[in-house]
Amino acid sequence: MEKIAVFPGSFDPFTVGHESIVNRASKLFDKIIIAIGLNPKKDALFTLEERKNFIRQVFEDNPKIEIVHFEGLTVEFCKRVGAGYILRGLRTSADFEFERAIAQVNKSMHKEIETVFFLTITEHTPINSSIVRDIYRHGGDISKFIPSKMKLNKS
Ligand code: ADP
């Protein structure tokens, strides 16, 4: 059976931390669906189309990667697309506490879906989209925090 994993997130914007997780997971799964969750509580800096385009640029040569968006519960989305795994990244103990609760609740809702955690590589530990957004908003250079293939051309 095809091993399909969903990597859910806001990806506002996609960073080298996200890229690294997808590349590492790519060795373990047949297909990875990068799923941009639409969260009405979060005000995004980049539009959905911009975020999708950024991610497309990064993985244009990787046929295992699909990029979509979804609304609602991640586990329900996984069931719809036939995914058995949810990918998440862990940077700190704060990430762990947050992710533990979500993964355990997801497991209690759908016990056939496993959450798989990737511990970030050391140099990506401090990188998160919200810091990258702040640097970008203030005109700083974010090139070292985003994948080299990703070109931002927001006006
Ligand atoms: P969310 O709003 O779901 O937290 P994000 O786009 O911020 O969405 O993150 C998506 C996933 O990527 C989360 O599991 C997060 O922990 C992980 N992640 C974010 N930044 C990094 C990083 N620098 N290294 C490893 N994992 C990361």
Side-chain angles (χ1 to χ4, degrees):
M1 213 174 88
E2 227 194 354
K3 277 199 163 88
I4 303 174
V6 164
F7 185 35
S10 313
F11 307 119
D12 184 35
F14 201 77
T15 68
V16 287
H18 299 130
E19 178 187 31
S20 165
I21 301 284
V22 173
N23 285 334
R24 289 163 64 194
S26 205
K27 296 181 188 132
L28 302 178
F29 297 97
D30 301 309
K31 179 162 142 189
I32 297 173
I33 301 173
I34 301 176
I36 304 177
L38 300 180
N39 183 347
K41 281 196 221 139
K42 280 191 186 175
D43 238 348
L45 174 63
F46 294 99
T47 66
L48 177 62
E49 270 322 301
E50 283 172 322
R51 283 179 276 162
K52 278 189 178 168
N53 281 331
F54 295 154
I55 305 170
R56 271 191 211 111
Q57 291 166 13
V58 181
F59 297 109
E60 59 190 356
D61 299 325
N62 188 338
K64 284 187 175 182
I65 311 299
E66 210 173 277
I67 301 138
V68 301
H69 68 274
F70 73 106
E71 273 176 284
L73 294 177
T74 306
V75 280
E76 295 300 336
F77 174 72
C78 288
K79 280 176 69 179
R80 265 202 318 276
V81 297
Y85 306 88
I86 296 173
L87 305 180
R88 298 292 286 174
L90 292 178
R91 289 159 292 190
T92 59
S93 53
D95 270 358
F96 172 75
E97 279 308 322
F98 179 72
E99 297 290 345
R100 179 189 57 74
I102 295 174
Q104 289 175 333
V105 169
N106 282 342
K107 187 79 178 162
S108 72
M109 288 193 289
H110 289 289
K111 60 178 179 311
E112 70 283 8
I113 298 173
E114 292 291 349
T115 301
V116 177
F117 295 105
F118 283 81
L119 191 59
T120 189
I121 61 167
T122 316
E123 53 271 42
H124 291 164
T125 306
I127 300 174
N128 71 58
S129 294
S130 116
I131 293 179
V132 173
R133 279 200 300 280
D134 276 351
I135 298 171
Y136 184 79
R137 274 200 195 97
H138 293 98
D141 177 12
I142 60 168
S143 55
K144 62 159 91 78
F145 306 120
I146 61 171
S148 54
K149 283 187 161 181
M150 202 170 116
K151 301 288 167 256
L152 298 182
N153 44 17
K154 194 175 171 72
S155 50

